[in-house]
Amino acid sequence: MSSVVTVSEKPLSCSIKPPQFLGIGDTQFHSGCAVIELSLPNMGSVDIGKITFVNNYTAHLSIKMKVHETTKVGKSHLSWKTGIHKLVLMPNAHCEEGSQGYFTLYPKDFFRPPLVVSSLRFVLYQPSPSWKTFSLEEIYVYPAVAKDSQTPSIPRWLLRDFEEMATTNDTKPRDQVQSEGLPDLDDLSVKMQQLWMITQNTNESVPNVDLGRFDVDGCYEINLLSYT
Amino acid sequence: MDPKINEIAASISEIVKKLNGSTLYSQLKRAAQKEVEKPTASLATLKTDVVEALKTSGWDRLLRNKIFAYLSSCQASLDQSLPFECQKEPLMYMRKAQANWERRILKSMNSMCTELSIPLARKRPPEEQRALLHKWNEMGTEEPDLSHFRPVYAPKDFLEVIISLRNPNYCGLLGPEVDEKPSGGHWGLIQVPLEIPKLKDLQNQFSEFAHGHGHAGVDDNLDVPSEAFQNERNKIAKKVLDEKRSVLAQYFCRNGCPSGHRAEIWQLALGVTVNHLDVLKYEQLKGYVLQHDLLVDSLIYKDVKLTAVNDDYYFVFEDYLYQVLLVFSRDTSVLNHFAQSSAMPPKSFIRAQKEPSGTSAEQESSLTEAIPVFDVDKLTSPNQSNFNYTLIKSKPTFPPHLGICDDEGKLGQDEYAVVYPPNGVIPFHGFSMYATPLCYLYAEPVGLYYIFRQFYTRYFHRLHAISSHPQGIVSLCLLFETTLQSLHPRLCRHLQEIGCQPLKIAFKWLVRAFAGYLATEQLLLLWDRVIGYGNLLLLPILAVAIFLFRQSNLFLITSASGVEASLADITTLHVVPLIQLVLFPT
């Protein structure tokens, strides 16, 4: 039985600190670099399946992750690893493209699989001085979930008949005995097939072409336009 | 995995979805069925045989053309997981600006309704329908009093909005404190930091304009007499038409079409076919025009009277234009283009819903004649609950089951929401000029209509919506200003010193894609290239070229109005050599 890794539909609840801009002392200058810390409280460590965010004028993004590592001695300790290095969010840092875009990162985008991560640091770069501020918004981390790939088991009542049928060579009389009072199964299945054909046909013939009507029940009497 | 592969997969499935249920799909199916029924069909090779037969009978070309048309009309399929409006326009301040602009248009429409006390839409009584049908081919002879109508907006108003666009997070090169000064970031009027192609990119993209390529519309090679060149082009045009492949036709357009074959080549390149179903659809839309009288119709009348009828080249097409533009306003398939545009179609709520059964004719007629009263002050409020929306005559006498909009009424109820006008496009001053030049090519209103619709939904809708799209009007304006500045800074400086912003003059050219400003043959040569390259970037390049070409004259002028006057008439200019002047100067 193999297991397939899928992404949970619910994002993890995590605490995200506002971006810390890199500076020297209290002086204000445009360093073009900021860090957002994201920690996953009460979770220990998680395997990340997906990260989504909305850009807000960040040109490049690096992600550092704090992961559990096991040394040769067998001791586990935490260490910072680079997950993503200078991913381009805005192709031209001076221009708008990508500045407010939606981004999704999958494990395949990372240098190393984002497994047993306990916290993340987003390092934001904006070399262009054209923008007053930059950050990332709506950061969501989705955990990876292992799911068994086994197909749902067939209920036993369905299997039983099957097994019984397999044991006897001539199933027909037995069937008839069992289905006394019911219409002939062969006859029924032929009709069912026809029914299936009809539904199939109607399904296929549903046009996706718009009929082009703009009125409601033949009425298109309007006085004013709506502002909403 | 390569993200490109995912994209391709997504667009393939999108196209398959669209093809499913289309006319071509059923035609292909029928052709395949016929193949199967042939006595020579054998089960073992059935699949390859059918595919081969469809290829030889020409169906695969039609399929390819259809797919090509889909690909060039819709760029990206929509991602379900992202907010819809963010995919239409990623930048929030652009979205807001467009929404405000739309609201302004709505207010203008609504106040016109209240001032003139006419509804946006009303059903025509049968006699009126008959009368309109009777004079369908000569609507221009009718001279309704349109003096009270005014265009909803003119390109000038739209330019003001575009000029005032600002990114709240942008501080320009000189720091945030110079925001108020117009010369903060860019020297020009457009202050939005969009990425625009550099001259080098443009040269790559429009490499066919380089010298050595033969172009219709320019006689620069003395070795080849122009007649021989014309004959050669005509021959190729015929070949392209025989091939029946959209890609070839589009590519052919890059060097200009010979006038005799232009109409067909454009149809092929844009994937426009007019079969009996399309004629039927056109007739259906015509029926819709007869059924309802819209306020937009008066705006269209007014616009045609103000523009095309006043134009020496185009006044003869007046009747055609009414037909095509009225039909266009009823075509709900035009709404599809809003998925790719930052604009939203205006919405309204129908005034009253007809009783499905048992409504007496008398009640119905009193219903349609009901005069609305609205509180004008409240109209300015965007809050819909403030609408005071009642029907004077009918309200007290109407039984409640009729579903009339009373104070709270049908407003806000989705099942009574309709798009207004049915195609979602409110015409502005000059809108009819998008269709007018095409009248030279298509003698039949039906063919004219479908080409115009394709032109509009592919290209022209971008010229009057605020967006960050690379083909959007904002990008085109910025491209114009930046290119002019980089090619001739001295001219720019001179113009600015005499108080003349070049964009104020060029904007009207851009918004109309030069329709009505250039001589017709030249305009068609320009639109050849719009189709050929599938984009509008040549419009600002031509605008730059016009300024450069007239530079010696412009340097002598010392007033803004003088500049405007000297560039008022550009009908003598030749498009192709001018574009070459900018892209590949010698």
Side-chain angles (χ1 to χ4, degrees):
Chain A
M1 202 195 309
S2 66
S3 65
V4 177
V5 179
T6 56
V7 181
S8 160
E9 295 194 350
K10 260 189 169 171
L12 290 169
S13 69
C14 43
S15 67
I16 302 169
K17 288 186 188 160
Q20 286 288 318
F21 289 90
L22 195 71
I24 302 173
D26 290 335
T27 52
Q28 283 203 335
F29 81 107
H30 183 90
S31 66
C33 186
V35 176
I36 294 177
E37 277 205 45
L38 181 147
S39 54
L40 304 158
N42 315 325
M43 298 294 294
S45 51
V46 287
D47 298 347
I48 293 171
K50 182 169 90 169
I51 299 176
T52 66
F53 58 87
V54 184
N55 190 16
N56 181 16
Y57 293 94
T58 300
H60 312 292
L61 168 72
S62 295
I63 296 182
K64 309 262 180 198
M65 27 186 210
K66 201 173 196 178
V67 292
H68 283 275
E69 267 197 334
T70 325
T71 50
K72 282 174 194 161
V73 201
K75 268 188 178 177
S76 160
H77 71 282
L78 291 166
S79 70
W80 284 102
K81 298 284 172 198
T82 303
I84 279 176
H85 182 64
K86 287 221 170 180
L87 175 78
V88 176
L89 304 182
M90 291 165 69
N92 181 342
H94 298 297
C95 294
E96 292 278 8
E97 196 187 337
S99 61
Q100 298 182 22
Y102 282 74
F103 291 87
T104 307
L105 299 175
Y106 292 101
K108 63 179 164 57
D109 303 320
F110 285 70
F111 285 133
R112 48 179 293 151
L115 304 175
V116 283
V117 178
S118 61
S119 66
L120 291 168
R121 268 185 197 159
F122 294 83
V123 186
L124 323 180
Y125 304 93
Q126 181 46 274
S128 166
S130 305
W131 315 107
K132 287 177 189 160
T133 185
F134 58 94
S135 67
L136 299 181
E137 317 275 335
E138 296 176 39
I139 303 175
Y140 294 112
V141 178
Y142 295 80
V145 188
K147 258 191 192 166
D148 293 341
S149 66
Q150 195 198 26
T151 47
S153 59
I154 302 166
R156 194 182 300 157
W157 59 267
L158 248 176
L159 284 172
R160 197 190 59 203
D161 249 18
F162 225 61
E163 286 160 4
E164 280 175 11
M165 268 194 253
T167 52
T168 51
N169 278 339
D170 185 13
T171 56
K172 186 121 192 197
R174 245 187 107 100
D175 267 9
Q176 278 173 350
V177 173
Q178 281 190 341
S179 59
E180 212 172 325
L182 294 174
D184 181 39
L185 271 182
D186 288 339
D187 192 32
L188 194 68
S189 75
V190 168
K191 282 188 177 149
M192 286 295 276
Q193 267 193 24
Q194 282 172 353
L195 195 67
W196 177 79
M197 282 280 284
I198 292 168
T199 52
Q200 214 46 27
N201 270 339
T202 46
N203 257 345
E204 274 175 17
S205 64
V206 169
N208 60 5
V209 183
D210 185 18
L211 291 178
R213 295 211 66 93
F214 49 83
D215 46 5
V216 178
D217 299 335
C219 180
Y220 194 69
E221 311 257 330
I222 315 168
N223 284 342
L224 289 180
L225 293 169
S226 157
Y227 292 124
T228 49
Chain B
M1 212 198 311
D2 193 357
K4 270 260 159 84
I5 292 177
N6 285 334
E7 250 171 62
I8 292 169
S11 59
I12 287 177
S13 69
E14 186 83 0
I15 287 171
V16 169
K17 215 162 65 189
K18 276 187 183 163
L19 276 176
N20 241 330
S22 68
T23 330
L24 182 66
Y25 176 82
S26 45
Q27 284 169 332
L28 279 173
K29 204 170 161 186
R30 215 172 305 142
Q33 271 169 351
K34 266 190 194 149
E35 259 339 289
V36 174
E37 284 160 10
K38 276 184 187 165
T40 50
S42 81
L43 203 57
T45 57
L46 193 63
K47 195 174 169 187
T48 48
D49 280 354
V50 168
V51 171
E52 208 47 50
L54 288 181
K55 263 187 194 167
T56 46
S57 54
W59 285 108
D60 83 312
R61 264 185 302 205
L62 290 184
L63 183 63
R64 274 165 202 271
N65 288 349
K66 190 89 175 174
I67 292 171
F68 181 70
Y70 280 142
L71 282 178
S72 27
S73 59
C74 56
Q75 285 83 14
S77 54
L78 295 176
D79 186 341
Q80 296 296 327
S81 60
L82 305 184
F84 179 56
E85 70 273 13
C86 297
Q87 293 186 62
K88 279 158 72 80
E89 169 53 56
L91 302 179
M92 197 195 302
Y93 67 96
M94 289 273 185
R95 283 202 297 274
K96 278 188 183 162
Q98 174 64 23
N100 283 337
W101 172 239
E102 280 167 13
R103 177 161 295 171
R104 234 178 97 179
I105 295 172
L106 299 189
K107 272 185 192 166
S108 164
M109 291 282 284
N110 278 347
S111 59
M112 191 155 26
C113 284
T114 31
E115 275 168 33
L116 306 175
S117 343
I118 44 168
L120 284 174
R122 69 174 178 93
K123 191 159 195 146
R124 287 184 215 271
E127 314 84 66
E128 200 183 316
Q129 292 192 17
R130 271 195 294 276
L132 182 62
L133 181 62
H134 188 67
K135 63 173 171 54
W136 180 257
N137 287 323
E138 45 192 43
M139 277 188 270
T141 54
E142 180 88 334
E143 292 270 341
D145 179 27
L146 295 172
S147 54
H148 300 298
F149 288 94
R150 50 175 199 275
V152 180
Y153 65 93
K156 209 171 63 198
D157 310 316
F158 188 48
L159 176 62
E160 268 166 34
V161 176
I162 289 181
I163 290 173
S164 64
L165 275 177
R166 291 289 181 282
N167 179 343
N169 194 31
Y170 187 67
C171 54
L173 289 174
L174 305 173
E177 63 277 0
V178 289
D179 255 6
E180 286 75 39
K181 291 182 199 162
S183 57
H186 298 269
W187 66 276
L189 293 170
I190 304 293
Q191 295 292 323
V192 185
L194 293 175
E195 174 132 51
I196 46 158
K198 312 221 164 10
L199 192 60
K200 199 148 197 184
D201 306 329
L202 293 172
Q203 283 171 344
N204 283 334
Q205 194 175 354
F206 300 108
S207 57
E208 282 85 359
F209 276 98
H211 299 281
H213 289 260
H215 272 271
V218 58
D219 308 320
D220 55 355
N221 196 342
L222 297 174
D223 304 332
V224 186
S226 86
E227 253 172 58
F229 177 74
Q230 287 292 340
N231 290 340
E232 182 65 24
R233 289 297 287 175
N234 274 326
K235 251 186 235 164
I236 303 175
K238 262 184 213 138
K239 262 190 197 164
V240 168
L241 286 172
D242 288 342
E243 266 304 298
K244 288 202 181 59
R245 280 173 56 191
S246 297
V247 196
L248 291 181
Q250 193 192 33
Y251 194 79
F252 181 76
C253 284
R254 291 186 175 191
N255 287 16
C257 297
S259 4
H261 296 287
R262 182 171 282 128
E264 287 168 278
I265 297 251
W266 280 15
Q267 276 191 333
L268 185 56
L270 292 173
V272 174
T273 47
V274 183
N275 56 29
H276 68 284
L277 278 177
D278 299 308
V279 176
L280 206 64
K281 168 93 183 163
Y282 181 86
E283 288 300 320
Q284 184 195 14
L285 293 171
K286 184 174 152 187
Y288 290 156
V289 176
L290 299 177
Q291 266 170 28
H292 287 98
D293 181 24
L294 308 192
L295 173 73
V296 175
D297 298 353
S298 303
L299 295 175
I300 291 169
Y301 269 118
K302 180 90 178 182
D303 191 47
V304 172
K305 292 266 183 225
L306 284 177
T307 54
V309 175
N310 271 340
D311 195 304
D312 291 348
Y313 291 106
Y314 300 124
F315 70 96
V316 284
F317 300 119
E318 187 186 359
D319 295 327
Y320 268 10
L321 286 172
Y322 293 136
Q323 290 172 27
V324 166
L325 292 172
L326 290 181
V327 162
F328 180 67
S329 73
R330 307 303 200 273
D331 192 343
T332 51
S333 68
V334 177
L335 291 173
N336 293 336
H337 87 270
F338 283 104
Q340 272 118 51
S341 136
S342 60
M344 293 286 259
K347 208 168 78 173
S348 182
F349 293 93
I350 57 170
R351 193 163 68 190
Q353 204 221 353
K354 274 187 198 165
E355 171 74 345
S357 63
T359 312
S360 71
E362 194 185 302
Q363 273 178 331
E364 211 171 285
S365 67
S366 73
L367 204 154
T368 51
E369 281 159 20
I371 298 167
V373 258
F374 357 83
D375 191 332
V376 180
D377 293 336
K378 283 182 179 172
L379 274 178
T380 51
S381 159
N383 191 344
Q384 60 161 13
S385 62
N386 282 353
F387 267 81
N388 190 358
Y389 201 85
T390 46
L391 298 164
I392 277 188
K393 281 190 206 161
S394 46
K395 195 190 168 195
T397 54
F398 258 74
H401 67 266
L402 265 172
I404 305 298
C405 312
D406 48 19
D407 292 84
E408 289 94 46
K410 296 299 170 209
L411 282 172
Q413 293 189 18
D414 277 346
E415 59 266 47
Y416 299 106
V418 287
V419 172
Y420 183 88
N423 70 348
V425 181
I426 291 182
F428 56 91
H429 180 59
F431 183 82
S432 48
M433 292 312 277
Y434 289 148
T436 314
L438 302 170
C439 295
Y440 270 101
L441 300 180
Y442 300 93
E444 275 297 307
V446 183
L448 170 64
Y449 173 68
Y450 284 107
I451 277 285
F452 164 64
R453 188 179 76 178
Q454 194 66 15
F455 252 107
Y456 181 79
T457 51
R458 265 201 206 185
Y459 309 117
F460 294 154
H461 71 92
R462 302 214 180 276
L463 295 175
H464 51 93
I466 301 167
S467 82
S468 62
H469 194 275
Q471 308 271 321
I473 187 71
V474 185
S475 300
L476 297 184
C477 288
L478 189 62
L479 179 62
F480 166 75
E481 289 195 323
T482 315
T483 313
L484 186 61
Q485 163 78 357
S486 67
L487 288 183
H488 208 322
R490 204 158 59 88
L491 179 64
C492 287
R493 177 107 187 127
H494 168 73
L495 290 173
Q496 273 190 320
E497 271 173 359
I498 62 171
C500 170
Q501 279 288 356
L503 183 63
K504 291 212 166 166
I505 292 167
F507 188 74
K508 55 181 188 293
W509 301 335
L510 297 179
V511 167
R512 281 200 203 167
F514 283 93
Y517 294 106
L518 294 170
T520 311
E521 180 56 25
Q522 294 300 315
L523 182 75
L524 296 178
L525 284 170
L526 177 67
W527 286 12
D528 274 344
R529 274 76 181 183
V530 169
I531 295 177
Y533 293 98
N535 70 45
L536 296 164
L537 295 182
L538 283 176
L539 303 181
I541 293 171
L542 177 63
V544 170
I546 292 170
F547 274 84
L548 295 186
F549 185 63
R550 294 264 169 101
Q551 54 173 296
S552 52
N553 194 1
L554 293 176
F555 271 121
L556 299 175
I557 299 171
T558 53
S559 74
S561 56
V563 174
E564 199 149 334
S566 79
L567 291 171
D569 182 13
I570 53 170
T571 50
T572 53
L573 298 180
H574 286 258
V575 167
V576 179
L578 279 176
I579 293 176
Q580 285 179 327
L581 173 82
V582 170
L583 289 178
F584 299 98
T586 33

